[in-house]
Amino acid sequence: MAAVLGNPKCSMAEDQGSGGTSAASGHLRHVDGLRALAALFVVVHHAYLTIWPIDYRVYPSGLDALLTNWAVFGHFGVSVFIVISGYVLALPHAAGSRKFEAGRFYIRRCRRILPVYYASIALCLVLIATVIGHKTGTHWDISIPVTRDGLIEHLLMVQHIFGSANINHVLWSIGVEWQIYLVFPLLFLLWRKAGSCTTLLVGTVVGYGIHYLLRHTPYAGATPEYLALFCMGMFAAKPPKAKGVPWGLLAAGSALIIVAICQRLPVGLVMIRYWYLDAVVGFGTACLLIRTTEAGAARRALEWSPLVRIGTFSYSLYLVHAPLLQVAWQLMPATHERSSAAFGLLLLASILPILGFSYLFFLAFERPFMSKRQRSAIESHAAP
């Protein structure tokens, strides 16, 4: 799975540093908290797939299924990331006074996204060459062996279009979001001229329309329906001025719908229906973002300092957690059985080292490419 995130892929501080909400105000601390929750859910999801690799049709049963099946739906974390990305990129322009320059936008995206992305590819290649390059019957097997075509596709960030999981199976969402960035100036023009509702309508029709055209082709992995979720984030940045809309209830209702569907339907059936369930998750996330622009219990929970701190390096966490999980699994024979105990042990033993390594990776390959203003915003967000 992915995310850029938001998206774990773009830090809120970057967008603030680009002229958005003042970092000193802490206005978006709750967004970093939400990003952290989504990123951690993806990590838990991949720990689940390490124990029960559904690629090999291995599923938990009995009590193990009752205790752990919730973790199989980590795909929805990617939906949250995409909505957040649309939100934080549009929010600095919500007042309508800030000038948008496409050239500067692309330069900043390249600087913010690419160095750490390519560093994560290099890390994976080293680990595959030395430690995790042989198949072990876990979900990591879909990332190996590395092929020339797979490497080229990842370097060009078109791996999702060709369905390539080489190198690191989580990187597909980086390619998805990168394609959305390519059309963002057009989305922004529509958003500013026609409004957020029209942008959401157009993004949904185009995204899901292309999805239907591609769904039975080799290019179904392009997942163009994420364009709709990105536009939901833009909608949340500038919602219609309507009084009395129960955004919090709509967010809660969306969550209940997803939970009910996931509990009622078999896991395999849910997974082939992700394309429409993503829309429900995206809508709920957008409603939550609108609701938490105001003070309240949900916002205070998301502004919990440990979550905010993790949110500041969640892009790095997303990029490197999968190979690190495989390393941890290989080093701990006790986690090689298919049980909820092994799942819990893998999480307990690996989560802190993964967070620590991800933070160091952030310091080495992500933070240096932020501007001084962006780094200042990050530090302000991390402060209690």
Side-chain angles (χ1 to χ4, degrees):
M1 303 298 163
V4 164
L5 79 310
N7 155 354
K9 299 190 288 298
C10 80
S11 166
M12 137 188 34
E14 162 205 3
D15 302 288
Q16 292 177 326
S18 300
T21 309
S22 169
S25 69
H27 178 64
L28 293 181
R29 284 173 56 87
H30 63 291
V31 181
D32 256 343
L34 180 60
R35 183 181 287 120
L37 288 176
L40 290 171
F41 189 28
V42 171
V43 175
V44 172
H45 168 65
H46 286 133
Y48 173 97
L49 293 181
T50 301
I51 302 300
W52 293 286
I54 59 178
D55 318 273
Y56 292 112
R57 301 185 183 277
V58 176
Y59 298 91
S61 59
L63 182 60
D64 286 336
L66 182 65
L67 293 174
T68 64
N69 264 356
W70 57 273
V72 77
F73 304 112
H75 168 92
F76 294 133
V78 178
S79 307
V80 174
F81 298 148
I82 296 294
V83 175
I84 290 176
S85 185
Y87 178 76
V88 297
L89 288 175
L91 188 62
H93 305 274
S97 58
R98 180 172 173 79
K99 182 180 179 181
F100 176 78
E101 298 178 11
R104 294 184 65 192
F105 168 78
Y106 287 127
I107 291 172
R108 286 171 173 167
R109 288 292 91 188
C110 288
R111 179 175 176 176
R112 186 66 180 83
I113 302 302
L114 298 184
V116 66
Y117 170 78
Y118 288 127
S120 74
I121 290 178
L123 172 67
C124 287
L125 291 175
V126 171
L127 290 176
I128 290 171
T130 57
V131 183
I132 54 175
H134 59 284
K135 292 186 180 293
T136 57
T138 68
H139 185 58
W140 179 255
D141 287 358
I142 68 173
S143 299
I144 52 176
V146 176
T147 66
R148 182 192 63 180
D149 289 347
L151 178 59
I152 293 173
E153 289 161 7
H154 277 75
L155 293 177
L156 297 178
M157 291 201 291
V158 294
Q159 65 270 28
H160 60 296
I161 297 176
F162 297 98
S164 172
N166 274 180
I167 305 172
N168 185 344
H169 56 80
V170 309
L171 297 183
W172 66 271
S173 69
I174 312 298
V176 171
E177 189 162 350
W178 193 256
Q179 309 308 314
I180 296 176
Y181 290 161
L182 295 179
V183 300
F184 179 72
L186 294 177
L187 290 175
F188 178 81
L189 181 63
L190 180 65
W191 180 76
R192 175 161 283 182
K193 298 295 184 181
S196 56
C197 291
T198 299
T199 304
L200 177 56
L201 176 62
V202 171
T204 301
V205 171
V206 172
Y208 277 91
I210 297 176
H211 165 86
Y212 274 106
L213 292 175
L214 296 180
R215 69 189 188 281
H216 297 309
T217 73
Y219 309 110
T223 56
E225 64 272 17
Y226 279 118
L227 180 67
L229 274 68
F230 188 89
C231 291
M232 290 178 190
M234 298 181 71
F235 173 89
K238 193 176 181 181
K241 296 180 180 179
K243 294 183 178 179
V245 178
W247 297 112
L249 290 177
L250 290 173
S254 300
L256 290 175
I257 290 172
I258 291 296
V259 170
I261 292 175
C262 290
Q263 285 188 336
R264 185 174 181 82
L265 298 180
V267 170
L269 189 57
V270 172
M271 293 177 69
I272 64 174
R273 300 287 194 277
Y274 272 149
W275 59 272
Y276 73 82
L277 294 177
D278 284 333
V280 180
V281 174
F283 175 76
T285 303
C287 291
L288 178 62
L289 288 170
I290 296 171
R291 176 63 186 88
T292 52
T293 56
E294 300 177 358
R299 177 161 174 162
R300 288 193 299 271
L302 292 174
E303 289 181 337
W304 186 41
S305 183
L307 283 181
V308 174
R309 290 176 183 274
I310 293 172
T312 60
F313 63 90
S314 55
Y315 180 30
S316 290
L317 172 61
Y318 179 78
L319 290 174
V320 303
H321 77 273
L324 297 180
L325 273 172
Q326 179 64 15
V327 171
W329 181 86
Q330 291 185 192
L331 292 176
M332 292 188 294
T335 64
H336 293 187
E337 62 180 68
R338 312 295 189 189
S339 69
S340 53
F343 171 62
L345 177 60
L346 179 61
L347 276 177
L348 288 174
S350 65
I351 190 64
L352 289 181
I354 287 175
L355 287 173
F357 185 93
S358 299
Y359 182 66
L360 294 177
F361 196 81
F362 160 80
L363 292 178
F365 300 107
E366 190 175 352
R367 191 176 184 276
F369 296 94
M370 297 177 176
S371 68
K372 183 177 180 181
R373 188 175 181 182
Q374 291 166 357
R375 291 194 296 269
S376 174
I378 282 280
E379 293 165 2
S380 177
H381 279 300

